[in-house]
Amino acid sequence: MDPTNRAKLDDLLRSCCVSQDTLDLSTMTQLFLSQIRIALYGGKSSVPMLPSFLKPFGLLPDDCPVAVAEIDDQEIRVSLVTFKNSVPSLSDQDCFPVPGREYPAPLEDLVFAAAELLEPLLDRAKDVALCLPFPVAYDGQGDGTILRFPGSMMVTEFRDKPVLAMLRQEFSERSYEDLSLVLISEPNAVQLAAAVAAPGQSRYQGFTWGSNIDGGFSAPGSIILRWLAIPGDLMLMDCGFSSFEQVPFGMADLPKDRDCYGPGLDLLLKAVSTDYLGDTFRLVMIKAAERKLLSFGCSRDILSLTTLDLSSVLDFLQDPIDGGTIAHFCREPEDREVGLIVANAVLDRASRLVCAMLSAMAQFGSVGRDPGAPACLGGWGVALETPLLRRRLENLLTSFTGDVLGHHVTLFTGPDMLAIGAAAAALYNH
């Protein structure tokens, strides 16, 4: 690429806030950290910090099955989880499309569907765990209300309705009484699953990165100064990071935000969610076409797209010559070079934002100070199953979180972490 076009492309990346010099990791980490502290102290924060009142440790008795229901914006999944010598096994797995995804539905329909799927497991399980990715206001008495649903869902009549009370009523109508129920967030479940699978680590934290983004850790309840007389016991905390607002916003983010379900809301989610990264690439490429950085044919093809998924971008990065739609559009070497630079910049921005989020969690918890005893960071989600994203994040956790900040972490992922962690929470809090 000639120097003039390279300078124009660099200026474009800066205007879209996808260049490294528009997203300083130290600055972003401090912004995340400040929002955590403000929330705990009772100020106005875009990171809610939600105490779960759940113990993060305990015994895993053998042969005590737990019925687990995972509800997200796609489906309801159930399984029966049993531990033997602290090793989990899953059986009786089933799933059903979640109500409220394709059509409007009240919360009652979601709870009913979960109860229907769980019912065949209840003759063997006395403990039931409900695992959710949605922010929950816990009441301190073992229940909680969902604060909001993502824009991809159309759920109504959920405000101020305790979820477990509704589920318990459904079980009662089916003649299942005396069940022990717990409500746990996805990142907290991932944290507990990492502790089950990799015992003996110095500390544990958890996060999810896929269609959603969130983090969680353990801390004494007494750190939440806004909540008077909260128990000082160690408990699981859900951060609610998806609504974080202090995200550098660029020219490509503006039309994406304007046309989505909630302009001005969930800015971190829109910047890093695997549901949005493909469209971010598309919008930056449209800006490249407007600045005459692409050939006429490539510009015409890019402008013909109304949406783009992440898999198309990944296919292009893995095979720029024959890798699907984008490779076909970028037939000229100059177009291909611009496309590759933009694609890498978009994925790098997402990875840097997630690294800053995790670095703030590590700093707040003061974990992994000893390089020889790093903290264990449990992770779950589509992004971590994507080698191009996972590799970027792991490199940043080493080079920045570890080498610069001095908080050393190891990333742990595995199958069925949500179900395993939720089952562990049910047994710890029986």
Side-chain angles (χ1 to χ4, degrees):
M1 184 180 299
D2 68 70
T4 301
N5 282 343
R6 180 68 217 212
K8 290 170 63 177
L9 180 56
D10 289 343
D11 182 62
L12 169 66
L13 297 180
R14 281 190 290 272
S15 72
C16 293
C17 290
V18 294
S19 62
Q20 291 191 11
D21 57 356
T22 57
L23 205 158
D24 178 71
L25 276 172
S26 295
T27 301
M28 289 306 306
T29 299
Q30 289 306 309
L31 287 172
F32 276 106
L33 191 57
S34 68
Q35 290 298 295
I36 291 174
R37 289 171 173 161
I38 290 170
L40 293 173
Y41 299 157
K44 182 175 174 56
S45 170
S46 61
V47 176
M49 293 302 298
L50 304 164
S52 71
F53 300 89
L54 295 175
K55 292 190 298 183
F57 55 84
L59 298 176
L60 295 175
D62 290 346
D63 303 319
C64 292
V66 179
V68 177
E70 309 162 40
I71 302 179
D72 59 25
D73 63 345
Q74 297 289 333
E75 62 182 9
I76 302 173
R77 298 176 299 276
V78 299
S79 57
L80 195 67
V81 183
T82 307
F83 293 91
K84 185 74 171 180
N85 297 323
S86 297
V87 177
S89 62
L90 276 70
S91 64
D92 298 83
Q93 294 171 294
D94 199 359
C95 64
F96 187 79
V98 67
R101 173 73 183 192
E102 301 296 335
Y103 53 88
L107 176 61
E108 182 180 0
D109 285 5
L110 273 72
V111 175
F112 176 83
E116 284 284 297
L117 287 173
L118 286 167
E119 184 175 4
L121 313 181
L122 299 182
D123 58 342
R124 287 161 287 170
K126 288 295 183 182
D127 294 279
V128 178
L130 188 61
C131 184
L132 302 176
F134 321 120
V136 171
Y138 299 90
D139 62 7
Q141 306 299 318
D143 208 339
T145 58
I146 297 174
L147 296 174
R148 59 191 178 87
F149 285 87
S152 57
M153 298 186 71
M154 298 169 284
V155 180
T156 60
E157 303 174 31
F158 64 89
R159 299 192 184 281
D160 302 321
K161 292 189 175 181
V163 179
L164 294 186
M166 295 176 67
L167 185 59
R168 189 172 282 110
Q169 178 62 33
E170 288 288 346
F171 289 154
S172 177
E173 293 175 1
R174 293 165 167 78
S175 300
Y176 287 99
E177 307 285 352
D178 302 323
L179 295 170
S180 175
L181 277 61
V182 300
L183 184 64
I184 186 170
S185 72
E186 285 189 352
N188 289 152
V190 173
Q191 175 187 339
L192 295 188
V196 169
Q201 306 298 307
S202 61
R203 295 280 291 279
Y204 296 91
Q205 295 185 333
F207 76 109
T208 56
W209 181 18
S211 59
N212 191 37
I213 180 73
D214 198 4
F217 53 81
S218 303
S222 55
I223 67 170
I224 308 178
L225 301 184
R226 72 172 191 269
W227 196 315
L228 299 178
I230 187 172
D233 303 333
L234 194 66
M235 65 179 66
L236 295 168
M237 301 277 183
D238 176 21
C239 299
F241 279 124
S242 66
S243 56
F244 178 77
E245 295 176 351
Q246 287 70 30
V247 177
F249 223 52
M251 295 300 295
D253 297 306
L254 294 174
K256 177 176 63 178
D257 183 58
R258 177 198 63 207
D259 297 335
C260 77
Y261 64 91
L265 301 177
D266 296 340
L267 299 190
L268 180 66
L269 179 74
K270 294 168 186 174
V272 307
S273 167
T274 52
D275 288 349
Y276 286 91
L277 289 176
D279 256 350
T280 301
F281 169 82
R282 178 181 67 89
L283 292 166
V284 177
M285 288 293 282
I286 288 175
K287 296 296 181 184
E290 293 173 353
R291 299 195 183 195
K292 311 298 184 186
L293 289 167
L294 301 174
S295 68
F296 174 80
C298 183
S299 297
R300 178 195 60 207
D301 291 339
I302 290 293
L303 290 169
S304 72
L305 294 172
T306 58
T307 187
L308 189 70
D309 57 26
L310 176 59
S311 61
S312 297
V313 180
L314 297 174
D315 289 342
F316 174 57
L317 283 169
Q318 291 167 346
D319 185 356
I321 305 296
D322 298 310
T325 301
I326 304 303
H328 178 69
F329 288 175
C330 297
R331 293 180 293 274
E332 301 296 331
E334 296 80 5
D335 296 332
R336 191 178 305 124
E337 186 175 6
V338 170
L340 289 171
I341 291 172
V342 169
N344 279 298
V346 168
L347 298 192
D348 283 344
R349 178 178 77 155
S351 300
R352 290 170 73 82
L353 283 168
V354 174
C355 175
M357 178 191 90
L358 298 175
S359 297
M361 283 185 11
Q363 276 199 315
F364 183 81
S366 191
V367 305
R369 283 297 191 182
D370 180 0
C376 181
L377 181 60
W380 171 265
V382 174
L384 301 176
E385 298 170 1
T386 305
L388 288 176
L389 284 171
R390 176 168 179 154
R391 187 161 55 245
R392 281 173 164 82
L393 179 60
E394 287 185 311
N395 290 339
L396 289 168
L397 289 173
T398 298
S399 62
F400 176 72
T401 312
D403 296 345
V404 176
L405 298 183
H407 295 280
H408 304 275
V409 298
T410 57
L411 181 59
F412 178 87
T413 60
D416 303 313
M417 292 184 75
L418 298 182
I420 294 167
L427 295 173
Y428 295 162
N429 294 272
H430 182 83

